[in-house]
Amino acid sequence: MTMFDLEPVARQSTAELIADRLRIAIMRGALAPGAQLGETDLAAKFDVSRGPVREAMQRLVSEGLLHSIRHRGIFVIELTMDDIEDVYFARAAIERGALCRILDGRREATHAALGPAVEMMLAAADRGDAAGVSDADQPYHEVLVQSSASPRLVRAARTLLIETRMCLGALQTTYEDVHEQVAEHAALRDAIGSGPGEIAYRLLADHMEDAVARLRVQRASVSGTSA
């Protein structure tokens, strides 16, 4: 191999780095739903010119995390209950597709890969850290989709997982006992490792349906309406 055979090392552009920071801020609620983003303010905070900020914001507009209102500006999306149901509908389809591939020859590797996320969730639950459980929930599902070895499923899942975290708002979790949340993920991991395939599919579907039901009750409680 000569030096001319070597490919350049991929580097994140400034716009990509800013987009990553903004995604995290949106996911964690530092940029609240409905918040307006200004190029000038963000450029000053990131200590960059307005160009990379503009590019980063447009990336998030295309991903659906920001939306542009003509003559008003760019805002963080606000998720309605219909949006939440659609998020989980799309996630169920993507993660079922990933599970199909996993069960076809990737079970052992996926079971091992999911282990650290389950351990993180359990440690957070044991110390009563609901936010920590939710923090570990996201990489669990990221690993699940990544284990399918499908770049397209991974890309499709990324925004949906951020939107999922946004659904929780400031409450961080819909579980009264976060150990129950951990148990659901551990059971799915075990089913992926050695259980019947139909059990894994059922556990995944139940997990998505239960999440929507919990969020519906949570939203109704916050708004003071009947579920």
Side-chain angles (χ1 to χ4, degrees), residues 63 117 168 212:
E63 292 175 12
L168 296 173
V212 172

Side-chain angles (χ1 to χ4, degrees), residues 13-76:
S13 68
T14 300
E16 288 173 328
L17 289 169
I18 293 171
D20 283 345
R21 296 281 186 88
L22 293 176
R23 285 189 198 96
I24 293 171
I26 291 169
M27 178 184 71
R28 294 183 177 276
L31 289 172
Q36 184 173 8
L37 275 62
E39 284 183 17
T40 302
D41 289 343
L42 288 174
K45 289 179 180 178
F46 287 118
D47 193 22
V48 297
S49 66
R50 292 173 61 180
V53 171
R54 185 181 305 116
E55 182 181 341
M57 290 168 66
Q58 288 304 318
R59 287 182 185 215
L60 298 193
V61 168
S62 68
E63 292 175 12
L65 294 176
L66 301 177
H67 68 109
S68 178
I69 300 177
R70 188 174 178 82
H71 302 309
R72 286 189 57 197
I74 294 179
F75 300 80
V76 178

Side-chain angles (χ1 to χ4, degrees), residues 3-227:
M3 64 178 295
F4 299 105
D5 296 320
L6 298 176
E7 296 182 359
V9 175
R11 294 182 180 177
Q12 279 190 302
S13 68
T14 300
E16 288 173 328
L17 289 169
I18 293 171
D20 283 345
R21 296 281 186 88
L22 293 176
R23 285 189 198 96
I24 293 171
I26 291 169
M27 178 184 71
R28 294 183 177 276
L31 289 172
Q36 184 173 8
L37 275 62
E39 284 183 17
T40 302
D41 289 343
L42 288 174
K45 289 179 180 178
F46 287 118
D47 193 22
V48 297
S49 66
R50 292 173 61 180
V53 171
R54 185 181 305 116
E55 182 181 341
M57 290 168 66
Q58 288 304 318
R59 287 182 185 215
L60 298 193
V61 168
S62 68
E63 292 175 12
L65 294 176
L66 301 177
H67 68 109
S68 178
I69 300 177
R70 188 174 178 82
H71 302 309
R72 286 189 57 197
I74 294 179
F75 300 80
V76 178
I77 61 167
E78 298 181 82
L79 297 172
T80 66
M81 195 62 226
D82 285 345
D83 291 325
I84 291 171
E85 290 179 358
D86 192 48
V87 165
Y88 276 92
F89 175 79
R91 275 191 59 190
I94 289 169
E95 294 190 33
R96 182 181 174 86
L99 187 56
C100 180
R101 280 208 168 176
I102 288 166
L103 295 177
D104 185 23
R106 296 178 171 87
R107 301 182 73 153
E108 184 176 347
T110 303
H111 180 267
L114 290 171
V118 172
E119 291 172 4
M120 288 171 57
M121 293 178 76
L122 181 58
D126 286 345
R127 63 177 182 267
D129 181 4
V133 175
S134 293
D135 283 341
D137 182 289
Q138 180 160 339
Y140 178 100
H141 289 278
E142 287 175 347
V143 168
L144 179 66
V145 178
Q146 289 166 359
S147 295
S148 70
S150 169
R152 289 168 179 80
L153 286 181
V154 171
R155 287 199 299 269
R158 181 174 65 173
T159 298
L160 292 169
L161 287 170
I162 295 173
E163 289 180 313
T164 298
R165 186 62 188 271
M166 290 175 66
C167 294
L168 296 173
L171 296 178
Q172 301 298 345
T173 185
T174 56
Y175 292 81
E176 291 185 10
D177 180 357
V178 287
H179 283 92
E180 184 180 348
Q181 185 176 357
V182 179
E184 287 183 10
H185 289 78
L188 176 57
R189 176 180 179 245
D190 290 343
I192 287 171
S194 59
E198 60 268 23
I199 297 298
Y201 284 123
R202 184 69 260 165
L203 287 172
L204 179 63
D206 287 349
H207 179 60
M208 297 296 177
E209 292 169 7
D210 181 62
V212 172
R214 288 174 180 275
L215 285 164
R216 187 180 294 112
V217 170
Q218 181 198 76
R219 289 265 172 144
S221 175
V222 169
S223 64
T225 62
S226 172

